[in-house]
């Protein structure tokens, strides 16, 4: 499933260029020409990253960043500010409202992609081959084994993929549709309620040592993996 990149830019040539660059590097671009359109695009499936222009019709990029970071189900989305403003004070203002990085126009597409990858690594730093451990629950993606306090757990391949996704994306709420996209993939037709069935199976597999509590239901939104 390619990462969805929301491009919020009012200048059509720049927006189209960015969309082309995203496609060339395997991302799925979603375009927005102003503040209000950007808000309309912040629906399921949510973007994995936002490229946000500083100056927008209808509201500023800083206002939009502040709104996104203040919204529970959106605040995890990383933001890179794109702007012609190069003053240090403006950069600080953008970072203070929650932007993860800041690029001053003009910039090279190559540098932008490098910055995006760096932000993705910071947001999700776990190596794909590294064993994941949370409160005694251990998942080894190489041997495809799950154990809790060294006792092996038996679970199906879908529950394994679901747990692996949760453990590599902790403290973030995902809707059923997002989980379908990330765990099952877009080429497979599965109903939303199928997610609930596999969540129940996953919790059943984890309950022997109380780790089923890590898979939390967020009413009206979806599911979250959290040790809190």
């Amino acid at each position: 499933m390619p990462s969805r990149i929301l491009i919020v830019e009012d200048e059509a040539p720049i927006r189209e260029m960015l969309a082309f660059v995203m496609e060339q590097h395997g991302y799925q671009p979603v375009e927005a020409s102003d503040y209000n359109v950007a808000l309309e695009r912040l629906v399921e499936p949510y973007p994995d990253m936002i490229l946000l222009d500083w100056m927008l019709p209808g509201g500023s990029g800083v206002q939009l960043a502040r709104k996104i970071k203040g919204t529970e189900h959106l605040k995890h989305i990383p933001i890179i500010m794109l702007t012609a403003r190069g003053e240090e004070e403006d950069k600080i203002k953008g970072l203070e409202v929650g932007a993860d990085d800041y690029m001053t126009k003009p910039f090279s597409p190559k540098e932008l992609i490098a910055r995006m990858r760096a932000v993705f690594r910071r947001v999700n730093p776990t190596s794909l081959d590294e064993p994941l451990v949370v409160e005694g629950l251990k998942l080894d993606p190489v041997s495809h084994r799950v154990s809790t306090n060294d006792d092996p757990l038996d679970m199906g391949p879908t529950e394994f993929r679901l747990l692996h996704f949760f453990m590599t994306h902790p403290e973030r709420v995902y809707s059923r549709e997002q989980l379908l996209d990330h765990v099952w993939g877009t080429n497979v037709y599965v109903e939303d309620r199928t997610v609930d069935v596999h969540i129940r199976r996953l919790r059943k597999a984890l309950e022997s040592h109380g780790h089923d509590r890590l898979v939390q239901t967020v009413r009206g939104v979806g599911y979250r993996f959290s040790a809190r």
Side-chain angles (χ1 to χ4, degrees), residues 123-128 130 132 134 139 141 161-170 172 174 225:
V123 171
N124 183 25
T126 307
S127 166
L128 293 177
E130 181 183 338
L132 306 164
V134 177
L139 182 148
R161 292 197 307 272
L162 189 57
L163 180 61
H164 184 265
F165 179 76
F166 274 139
M167 293 182 75
T168 53
H169 298 79
R172 293 171 60 171
Y174 288 93
F225 186 87

Side-chain angles (χ1 to χ4, degrees), residues 8-32:
V8 188
E9 166 64 63
D10 62 318
E11 295 186 42
I14 296 177
R15 190 173 66 250
E16 291 165 5
M17 178 273 290
L18 289 171
F20 176 75
V21 170
M22 295 302 106
E23 290 176 343
Q24 290 294 102
H25 286 82
Y27 298 111
Q28 181 183 350
V30 180
E31 300 180 37

Side-chain angles (χ1 to χ4, degrees), residues 137-138 145-155 205 208-209:
L137 176 65
K138 180 179 179 180
R145 289 191 175 98
V146 179
S147 60
T148 177
N149 300 327
D150 295 326
D151 293 335
L153 297 180
D154 183 31
M155 64 178 63
S208 59
H209 287 72

Side-chain angles (χ1 to χ4, degrees), residues 4-6 38 41-52 64-65 68-80 97-101 119-120 123 171-174 178:
R4 291 169 61 85
I5 311 297
L6 175 58
R41 298 286 188 270
L42 289 169
V43 294
E44 298 180 9
Y46 298 111
D48 297 289
M49 180 177 286
I50 300 171
L51 305 181
L52 180 57
L64 184 57
I68 291 167
K69 294 302 181 179
T71 303
E72 183 64 29
H73 65 280
L74 300 176
K75 65 182 182 182
H76 67 275
I77 304 173
I79 297 173
I80 297 180
V97 297
D100 297 86
D101 204 348
V119 169
F120 273 134
V123 171
E171 304 299 338
R172 293 171 60 171
V173 180
Y174 288 93
Q178 285 178 302

Side-chain angles (χ1 to χ4, degrees), residues 52-192:
L52 180 57
D53 189 28
W54 180 283
M55 300 295 290
L56 294 169
S60 72
V62 169
Q63 288 174 315
L64 184 57
R66 185 180 292 113
K67 184 175 183 66
I68 291 167
K69 294 302 181 179
T71 303
E72 183 64 29
H73 65 280
L74 300 176
K75 65 182 182 182
H76 67 275
I77 304 173
I79 297 173
I80 297 180
M81 298 288 294
L82 308 176
T83 177
R85 294 170 175 257
E87 294 82 358
E88 183 177 9
E89 185 177 333
D90 292 329
K91 292 181 180 180
I92 292 172
K93 188 181 295 184
L95 295 172
E96 282 181 343
V97 297
D100 297 86
D101 204 348
Y102 191 109
M103 294 196 67
T104 304
K105 300 173 184 176
F107 51 80
S108 72
K110 187 175 182 180
E111 182 186 0
L112 174 61
I113 294 298
R115 295 282 193 95
M116 289 173 60
R117 288 172 176 165
V119 169
F120 273 134
R121 283 195 298 271
R122 289 203 302 271
V123 171
N124 183 25
T126 307
S127 166
L128 293 177
D129 294 335
E130 181 183 338
L132 306 164
V133 182
V134 177
E135 294 192 351
L137 176 65
K138 180 179 179 180
L139 182 148
D140 189 334
V142 176
S143 66
H144 217 268
R145 289 191 175 98
V146 179
S147 60
T148 177
N149 300 327
D150 295 326
D151 293 335
L153 297 180
D154 183 31
M155 64 178 63
T158 301
E159 286 71 48
F160 181 91
R161 292 197 307 272
L162 189 57
L163 180 61
H164 184 265
F165 179 76
F166 274 139
M167 293 182 75
T168 53
H169 298 79
E171 304 299 338
R172 293 171 60 171
V173 180
Y174 288 93
S175 66
R176 293 180 181 87
E177 185 175 358
Q178 285 178 302
L179 290 172
L180 286 173
D181 285 345
H182 286 292
V183 178
W184 280 262
T186 54
N187 295 325
V188 179
Y189 177 74
V190 182
E191 292 184 356
D192 286 3

